[in-house]
């Protein structure tokens, strides 16, 4: 699993749920779970998704990354059998 270097609690606005492998990045106090969002990345096979949360007037309020470990594998090609 992913590990963190944070001593104690993560910085304000960051929340990682290891059970869902989801990173929430809150950029503005208006960020709500039921607010409109734009899907900017989807990999159905890997079950990975990135959305940009917006408020009612369209301003960016947060980012949600589902399947964070899978996205790292996709984006930087991590292979367990490779030594770096």
């Amino acid at each position: 699993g992913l590990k963190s270097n944070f001593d104690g609690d993560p910085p304000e606005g960051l929340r990682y749920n290891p059970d869902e492998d989801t990173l929430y990045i809150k950029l503005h106090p208006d960020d709500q779970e039921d607010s409109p969002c734009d899907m900017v990345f989807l990999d159905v096979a890997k079950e990975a998704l990135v959305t940009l949360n917006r408020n009612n007037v369209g301003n960016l309020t947060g980012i949600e990354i589902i399947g964070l470990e899978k996205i790292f594998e996709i984006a930087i090609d991590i292979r367990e059998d490779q030594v770096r």
Side-chain angles (χ1 to χ4, degrees), residues 16-56:
Y16 178 69
N17 181 333
D19 296 330
E20 298 174 358
D21 188 29
T22 302
L23 177 65
Y24 302 94
I25 304 169
K26 189 172 188 169
L27 302 174
H28 191 273
D30 286 349
D31 188 38
Q32 302 294 324
E33 289 184 21
D34 62 347
S35 63
C37 66
D38 298 323
M39 181 174 53
V40 295
F41 177 82
L42 173 65
D43 187 319
V44 176
K46 299 264 187 189
E47 298 179 348
L49 172 72
V50 177
T51 63
L52 302 178
N53 302 338
R54 300 194 176 273
N55 61 16
N56 290 335

Side-chain angles (χ1 to χ4, degrees), residues 21 45 51 62 65 68 79:
D21 188 29
T51 63
I65 305 170
L68 189 62
R79 299 182 184 146

Side-chain angles (χ1 to χ4, degrees), residues 63-74:
I63 302 168
E64 186 171 342
I65 305 170
I66 301 169
L68 189 62
E69 290 188 47
K70 300 291 185 188
I71 290 174
F72 282 149
E73 290 173 5
I74 295 165

Side-chain angles (χ1 to χ4, degrees), residues 1-11 14-16 23 68 72:
L2 295 175
K3 305 235 185 229
S4 169
N5 291 8
F6 300 129
D7 292 331
D9 294 330
L14 284 181
R15 184 170 52 100
Y16 178 69
L23 177 65
L68 189 62
F72 282 149

